[in-house]
Amino acid sequence: MALASYSTSESDDTILLAAVNQINLGGPAAVQDTSQSSTIATVNLRAGQKAMVMSDFGAAYSYFNHGISFLQEGHWQEHYDLSLSLFELAAKCALAIGDLASSKLHSEQVMKESRSFEDALNVMYISTCALAYSSGLPDSVQNSIGVLTKLGIDLQDSRSTEACVQETIALLTTRTDYEILNTRQMTEPTMIIALKFLAKLESGMNQTKPRSVPFVTQKIIELSLAKGMSPMSPIGFVYFGAFMSKRGDFTSGYRYVKLALSLLDKVGRESAGEVICMATQVKIFVEPIQAALEHHSDGYAASM
């Protein structure tokens, strides 16, 4: 326990992991002073976050699960933020390692105990992803639409597809590539998670409701230009580029996929796998196929 207390103040990852591993061997029964339970849960949270940075999601899940086991009765009232973080990240890591049942249990606990709709958004997104990964794509699509509606985001898909496309073109032609690439970063947490739902909806509808894809694309681009670019913004641009190319307008399509690829360097590469793979499908009609396939290989690597 002395090592754990020291690690919380020194930010020493080596000591942190050594302390947590030793404490977890003893388990909750080894803690004589229950007032220390939240401290042990906190160092497990830090250890799990460190493991996530190293992409060791199995170890991360173990740390978060251990942290949860040390929480005392009434922890949602006394240590709400700690409890929220542990359960939310446990759900995320369980999904990453394919333990859908555990991910669902942790997510349901957050949705039951969260103090606001916003606090539950991350696990709602995790649950939506879990549905998509477990042959529940139509339900995943409906979940996304339901959350977006509660956030006040309307796809307005009662319009014709052509009207939607022309509105998107008009929105983009008023800005140069330089202006688009230098749009400010999105900072509003609710909008950032909303873009995640829209990006997940984009890929889901591409398989279940292809007609609705342009409406999702427009909303991603519209919010990105109005509220700032998020890590999911490149998906909107690459889908629009692919759509324009399918219509035979390879000049515009190529422009938008190049914007999507350039945006990855601005907002991070969280969506790199999907963006690069889709961009390659347009690039092979414009660039030498050898060059395009190099990008495709990059996209495959980013997805793994």
Side-chain angles (χ1 to χ4, degrees):
M1 189 60 209
L3 279 174
S5 298
Y6 177 75
S7 69
T8 58
S9 60
E10 295 297 324
S11 299
D12 189 320
D13 292 329
T14 303
I15 294 176
L16 168 70
L17 296 176
V20 175
N21 288 335
Q22 288 298 314
I23 293 168
N24 289 344
L25 285 174
V31 180
Q32 297 179 342
D33 183 357
T34 56
S35 65
Q36 295 178 332
S37 295
S38 62
T39 301
I40 300 174
T42 299
V43 294
N44 267 289
L45 174 62
R46 286 188 55 205
Q49 290 169 327
K50 177 66 177 177
M52 287 183 71
V53 171
M54 297 185 291
S55 298
D56 190 347
F57 295 102
Y61 176 67
S62 178
Y63 285 126
F64 296 137
N65 221 20
H66 275 296
I68 289 169
S69 73
F70 282 100
L71 294 172
Q72 298 294 305
E73 185 176 352
H75 61 89
W76 280 105
Q77 290 71 43
E78 297 178 16
H79 303 287
Y80 177 76
D81 290 338
L82 173 60
S83 300
L84 182 65
S85 295
L86 283 169
F87 278 88
E88 180 182 300
L89 292 175
K92 183 175 183 177
C93 289
L95 176 63
I97 62 176
D99 188 350
L100 299 181
S102 294
S103 181
K104 181 180 180 181
L105 285 173
H106 291 307
S107 296
E108 288 175 345
Q109 186 71 7
V110 173
M111 286 187 272
K112 176 184 175 184
E113 301 290 349
S114 58
R115 294 176 180 174
S116 67
F117 177 71
E118 288 73 19
D119 283 352
L121 280 173
N122 283 329
V123 295
M124 288 180 184
Y125 177 71
I126 293 167
S127 297
T128 298
C129 292
L131 283 170
Y133 302 153
S134 58
S135 303
L137 195 54
D139 290 334
S140 175
V141 167
Q142 289 306 312
N143 276 14
S144 294
I145 293 173
V147 171
L148 290 167
T149 299
K150 290 181 180 179
L151 291 173
I153 296 174
D154 182 5
L155 299 179
Q156 299 177 322
D157 55 0
S158 59
R159 299 167 293 163
S160 69
T161 301
E162 185 60 28
C164 174
V165 172
Q166 292 304 319
E167 288 173 14
T168 308
I169 292 172
L171 184 65
L172 289 168
T173 52
T174 60
R175 293 169 171 83
T176 65
D177 290 359
Y178 177 84
E179 289 172 331
I180 292 172
L181 290 173
N182 287 279
T183 301
R184 64 186 176 86
Q185 297 285 307
M186 186 176 287
T187 57
E188 188 179 341
T190 302
M191 282 295 103
I192 292 172
I193 191 66
L195 263 289
K196 286 189 173 184
F197 276 102
L198 283 165
K200 180 57 64 178
L201 186 60
E202 184 103 79
S203 59
M205 281 190 165
N206 195 41
Q207 300 176 60
T208 61
K209 298 180 179 179
R211 178 199 168 275
S212 297
V213 170
F215 300 96
V216 184
T217 300
Q218 183 192 39
K219 189 58 65 174
I220 292 175
I221 292 173
E222 178 186 301
L223 290 174
S224 296
L225 295 176
K227 302 289 186 178
M229 293 291 175
S230 89
M232 296 296 110
S233 296
I235 288 180
F237 286 89
V238 80
Y239 267 88
F240 194 60
F243 183 82
M244 294 300 291
S245 298
K246 288 178 183 177
R247 289 162 57 103
D249 186 353
F250 285 99
T251 300
S252 296
Y254 186 54
R255 175 200 172 195
Y256 298 131
V257 300
K258 287 198 300 180
L259 277 172
L261 292 169
S262 296
L263 280 171
L264 292 175
D265 296 326
K266 296 280 187 177
V267 299
R269 302 181 69 80
E270 186 175 343
S271 59
E274 185 173 2
V275 170
I276 294 173
C277 286
M278 288 204 65
T280 302
Q281 297 175 40
V282 175
K283 288 165 72 71
I284 58 174
F285 290 96
V286 182
E287 299 179 359
I289 193 167
Q290 294 89 341
L293 286 177
E294 288 180 13
H295 289 286
H296 184 75
S297 298
D298 292 339
Y300 178 81
S303 299
M304 298 303 290

